[in-house]
Amino acid sequence: MANIYNHIGETIQRLRTNWPEGKLSQEGLAEKLGTATSTVSANTVSRWETGTYKPTAEDLDKLARFFKVSITVFFPNLQHDESRIAALTSATGGLNNEDFEEVIRYAEFRKARQALDKAKRSKSKR
């Protein structure tokens, strides 16, 4: 597989430039991602998009929440497992929509973190 961080960068750029409210600049995205406790610079967004900086799973979660997409869009080879989906559906049957969405986001976050860890291990073996 091509460098996962290049794929992540291309995905960030695609989401940013195809934003439904109009093309979002790197500066605009950085501003929207910043919070009272943490900031993101336009330079960081640029480096994520070029694969120079490696976003953390937390960064990707923030991006996914902002763009209202699944965190799995950043990972081209994450497979769906029907038996696990059935088990998750059964376990979450009584939850309200907000709680259900949070369970899904958590599961996707864990999956993304594993994919990032795998990418790091594979790079360190070279």
Side-chain angles (χ1 to χ4, degrees):
M1 172 173 65
N3 182 333
I4 187 68
Y5 295 105
N6 289 337
H7 176 80
I8 290 170
E10 290 166 5
T11 303
I12 294 169
Q13 184 177 36
R14 187 181 73 250
L15 289 168
R16 180 179 60 76
T17 58
N18 294 318
W19 197 44
E21 297 180 30
K23 184 177 177 180
L24 188 60
S25 67
Q26 291 174 338
E27 294 82 7
L29 178 57
E31 183 178 304
K32 293 194 181 284
L33 292 177
T35 65
T37 57
S38 69
T39 59
V40 175
S41 72
N43 195 29
T44 297
V45 173
S46 173
R47 290 179 177 178
W48 285 341
E49 289 183 1
T50 61
T52 306
Y53 277 4
K54 297 169 176 69
T56 65
E58 290 80 5
D59 295 328
L60 295 177
D61 182 56
K62 223 188 265 191
L63 286 160
R65 287 177 186 268
F66 174 75
F67 287 113
K68 295 179 175 46
V69 296
S70 166
I71 196 171
T72 60
V73 302
F74 299 109
F75 303 92
N77 296 322
L78 291 184
Q79 302 294 319
H80 294 286
D81 181 338
E82 295 303 321
S83 64
R84 286 183 169 201
I85 291 171
L88 184 58
T89 301
S90 174
T92 58
L95 296 178
N96 65 34
N97 286 343
E98 185 178 330
D99 288 339
F100 176 75
E101 290 298 321
E102 194 58 34
V103 168
I104 296 300
R105 285 202 174 273
Y106 177 74
E108 291 171 343
F109 176 84
R110 297 291 302 183
K111 209 171 182 181
R113 177 170 278 166
Q114 285 180 348
L116 288 174
D117 289 345
K118 182 179 177 182
K120 286 178 188 173
R121 284 192 305 272
S122 128
K123 187 172 183 173
S124 67
K125 290 181 182 178
R126 291 182 194 164

